[in-house]
Amino acid sequence: MTHAAGAPWWANAIFYQVYPRSFADSNGDGVGDLDGVSAHLDHLSQLGIDAIWLNPVMVSPMADHGYDVADPRDVDPLFGGLVALDRLIAEAHARDIRITMDLVPNHTSSAHAWFQAALATAPGSAARQRYIFRDGLGPDGEIPPNNWVSVFGGPAWTRITEPDGTPGQWYLHLFDAEQPDINWDNPEAFEDLEKTLRFWLDRGVDGFRIDVAHGMAKPPGLPDMANPDIEMLTLDDDDPRFNHDGVHAIHRGIRSVLDDYPHAVTIGEIWVFENEDFAKYLRPDELHMGFNFRLVRAEFDATDIREAIENALAAASLADASPTWTLSNHDVEREVTRYGDGATGLARARAMAMVMLALPGAMFLYNGEELGLPNVDLPDEVLQDPVWERSGHTERGRDGCRVPMPWTGDAPPFGFSSNPDTWLPMPAAWASLTVERQLADPDSTLAFFRTILQLRRRRFHFTDYDVEWLQLRDDAVAFLSGGVLCVLNTGSTALPLPPGEFLTASAPLVGGELAPDSAAWIATD
Ligand code: NOJ
């Protein structure tokens, strides 16, 4: 398929994920906010991005840092309220940067008025029908209705006390107990979501990243899981908790609303790894794009990386959709650490950024990736991710990839906030990683990202969503895409480069050859 002419803005766009708590704090409470994002838009323009994806900023008790929404049509005061969002939209649009938001349709916060009403009324009430309440098993209903586990650990069911004070029904929560799952068989679920979609789109938002887009619909009878010992934060394709066929009708409903706003995009979070199943979400009347997480899962290994790319391209092409690429986000260990940490991890992360940015499709960068931030080993007492508690302190959770951004200065909080008490502590060693320090160094990771993002814009001419593979060596990945050859060396010896106009490399060449753990771009037209 070609998409050069008349392609929507998102087809090859660079999205930059802002984790709002961690980007920049404008009011000195130690937590990032939307005015903080507005204040740093120059950083993003100079980087050369097309759109921001904001993690949830709706009203929330923040049990899962915003993925527990108590009012889906308002911005939490912690982030500056609706006025701060309006300011950000206006200032971003003035710089040609689009704003996309997270939408959380699978569950609400337990503080949502709907859930509070469900707790206050008797079993079977209309309010209970908005969630998934069931009687327990066993003589006194003391056993959960099925064996489902929460993605964050422990049972996916919590028992309530009925309004009359007796031990009561159980409600389903695929995540934290503060995140009850909505009953999507109830038409009120979609009616309310439609109001939410229109509310933000009418305010000028350019689209949504849809949380747990493979969740929402649950199989009739809620059959047991075959594998309840599944590792936390991972999913099987045959897991009854996710990817039930009924989910597609929900996406068709969402698309029918989005079609009234043709400038706006939907990108689903789809943890589904069967290509045929993944592609179903991208049919012409469903989502515009789906996050493909294969590159996140790939080891720094030539075969693994090539397979991940081939599969992601194949999955998108089954639906004639734009492929999507990401190396990290707020849920996974940062890639510098995943690839080995230290100098090796950073070299590989830079090389992989070049591999990713050479691919056709939409890119998702995660704040701090452009600085080469590693994951942070945080002490127990500061951990906030619900995974830490729910796993009985066996899993540390995702806080290590959410530490605030270092902007300026020589000591924490590095210009992130005026308050030294940031919501997660920042390592003193990040003094060498600040935006300020990296701007002054032409060899910095930030300078490198600016260069490769600019080269992607100027030198790649994508006409289709395909790449042509070259076989150079078993420990190399090489492909032609958009008129540029990308070569990655995952081996331990230097690799001779094919002929062509050398554009750049992620590390200095060694005697004219590509060093281990690095990548290069060579123009061929
Ligand atoms: C996926 C989000 O990316 C993650 O951060 C969140 O905890 C879960 N969905 C639950 O909403």
Side-chain angles (χ1 to χ4, degrees):
M1 146 183 191
T2 60
H3 58 102
W9 65 264
W10 56 80
N12 281 296
I14 308 287
F15 288 78
Y16 181 97
Q17 178 189 353
V18 167
Y19 195 67
R21 298 179 77 79
S22 300
F23 192 69
D25 171 21
S26 73
N27 65 357
D29 62 2
V31 181
D33 48 48
L34 292 173
D35 283 334
V37 184
S38 296
H40 287 283
L41 284 173
D42 285 346
H43 171 72
L44 301 181
S45 306
Q46 285 156 13
L47 199 55
I49 63 152
D50 300 297
I52 290 172
W53 152 31
L54 286 173
N55 287 99
V57 292
M58 290 87 172
V59 172
S60 164
M62 306 287 167
D64 187 21
H65 296 326
Y67 284 100
D68 47 322
V69 177
D71 181 349
R73 295 185 283 278
D74 199 357
V75 171
D76 200 280
L78 184 74
F79 296 129
L82 275 174
V83 285
L85 182 73
D86 290 343
R87 279 194 288 270
L88 175 59
I89 293 174
E91 289 179 27
H93 284 174
R95 288 169 168 84
D96 274 339
I97 294 177
R98 293 176 162 90
I99 297 286
T100 61
M101 298 177 83
D102 232 302
L103 191 77
V104 190
N106 180 68
H107 42 267
T108 69
S109 161
S110 51
H112 190 292
W114 275 10
F115 194 72
Q116 289 302 310
L119 292 182
T121 52
S125 68
R128 290 260 170 116
Q129 306 299 326
R130 296 193 186 114
Y131 293 90
I132 304 178
F133 279 89
R134 294 285 185 276
D135 293 332
L137 309 176
D140 300 313
E142 73 284 10
I143 301 168
N146 72 14
N147 72 349
W148 288 11
V149 290
S150 150
V151 175
F152 292 166
W157 296 92
T158 290
R159 192 172 198 187
I160 65 162
T161 302
E162 295 297 345
D164 65 6
T166 56
Q169 287 195 301
W170 298 73
Y171 67 90
L172 179 72
H173 51 87
L174 293 185
F175 297 89
D176 201 6
E178 275 76 28
Q179 293 166 294
D181 279 50
I182 290 183
N183 171 16
W184 271 90
D185 292 334
N186 184 336
E188 282 185 79
F190 184 74
E191 285 160 23
D192 193 68
L193 184 70
E194 174 163 5
K195 279 190 211 153
T196 301
L197 291 166
R198 293 190 189 277
F199 178 85
W200 298 114
L201 290 164
D202 289 340
R203 259 191 135 81
V205 160
D206 301 293
F208 303 99
R209 175 267 192 189
I210 301 185
D211 190 58
V212 203
H214 56 312
M216 283 111 79
K218 308 293 185 293
L222 305 178
D224 273 351
M225 293 174 71
N227 175 21
D229 294 329
I230 188 167
E231 200 184 314
M232 235 171 294
L233 300 169
T234 58
L235 302 170
D236 279 346
D237 271 344
D238 55 358
D239 183 332
R241 300 172 301 169
F242 297 99
N243 194 31
H244 177 59
D245 223 38
V247 77
H248 296 291
I250 301 169
H251 287 300
R252 284 193 285 277
I254 294 175
R255 181 59 173 264
S256 70
V257 177
L258 265 285
D259 282 345
D260 288 345
Y261 303 82
H263 71 283
V265 65
T266 50
I267 311 123
E269 184 204 23
I270 311 170
W271 287 92
V272 170
F273 290 91
E274 274 299 327
N275 287 348
E276 302 274 343
D277 284 350
F278 182 89
K280 285 186 186 162
Y281 289 81
L282 307 179
R283 290 178 287 203
D285 56 352
E286 298 195 32
L287 292 160
H288 295 107
M289 297 196 289
F291 271 101
N292 194 304
F293 294 111
R294 287 185 186 271
L295 263 195
V296 175
R297 285 191 165 187
E299 300 283 321
F300 190 76
D301 167 85
T303 309
D304 234 30
I305 294 165
R306 178 168 168 168
E307 271 176 21
I309 295 172
E310 282 176 328
N311 264 299
L313 288 172
S317 121
L318 281 173
D320 218 3
S322 182
T324 66
W325 308 99
T326 190
L327 292 171
S328 68
N329 61 37
H330 64 294
D331 289 332
V332 298
E333 190 174 45
R334 282 194 180 269
E335 63 270 50
V336 169
T337 305
R338 275 201 329 265
Y339 297 142
D341 232 334
T344 303
L346 180 60
R348 291 176 173 177
R350 286 169 62 137
M352 286 303 293
M354 284 186 67
V355 169
M356 176 170 83
L357 287 168
L359 291 164
M363 306 288 138
F364 291 83
L365 304 176
Y366 175 46
N367 60 201
E369 183 169 347
E370 76 279 26
L371 304 179
L373 296 185
N375 241 58
V376 179
D377 271 333
L378 293 162
D380 293 3
E381 60 278 11
V382 304
L383 295 180
Q384 304 199 15
D385 186 348
V387 167
W388 174 237
E389 286 304 326
R390 289 197 63 85
S391 70
H393 295 186
T394 58
E395 295 284 335
R396 304 191 71 72
R398 302 159 292 174
D399 294 310
C401 67
R402 298 174 175 178
V403 171
M405 288 268 289
W407 292 94
T408 55
D410 295 319
F414 297 119
F416 164 74
S417 171
S418 57
N419 187 340
D421 194 15
T422 52
W423 77 277
L424 286 173
M426 303 173 68
W430 281 13
S432 59
L433 295 177
T434 62
V435 172
E436 181 182 47
R437 189 75 81 86
Q438 297 205 37
L439 282 178
D441 175 3
D443 296 327
S444 69
T445 301
L446 177 56
F448 164 74
F449 264 91
R450 283 187 175 193
T451 303
I452 59 174
L453 284 163
Q454 210 177 64
L455 281 172
R456 173 177 162 95
R457 207 171 287 275
R458 292 210 187 127
R459 298 303 301 260
F460 287 73
H461 306 289
F462 298 110
T463 51
D464 56 31
Y465 291 132
D466 217 350
V467 304
E468 190 185 323
W469 296 98
L470 271 76
Q471 187 58 40
L472 297 183
R473 222 166 63 179
D474 283 354
D475 55 6
V477 178
F479 59 90
L480 248 172
S481 159
V484 176
L485 175 63
C486 175
V487 183
L488 169 74
N489 182 0
T490 62
S492 52
T493 56
L495 177 75
L497 283 172
E501 181 196 350
F502 175 78
L503 295 179
T504 195
S506 61
L509 298 183
V510 193
E513 299 193 336
L514 188 61
D517 296 330
S518 71
W521 286 348
I522 296 166
T524 57
D525 52 11

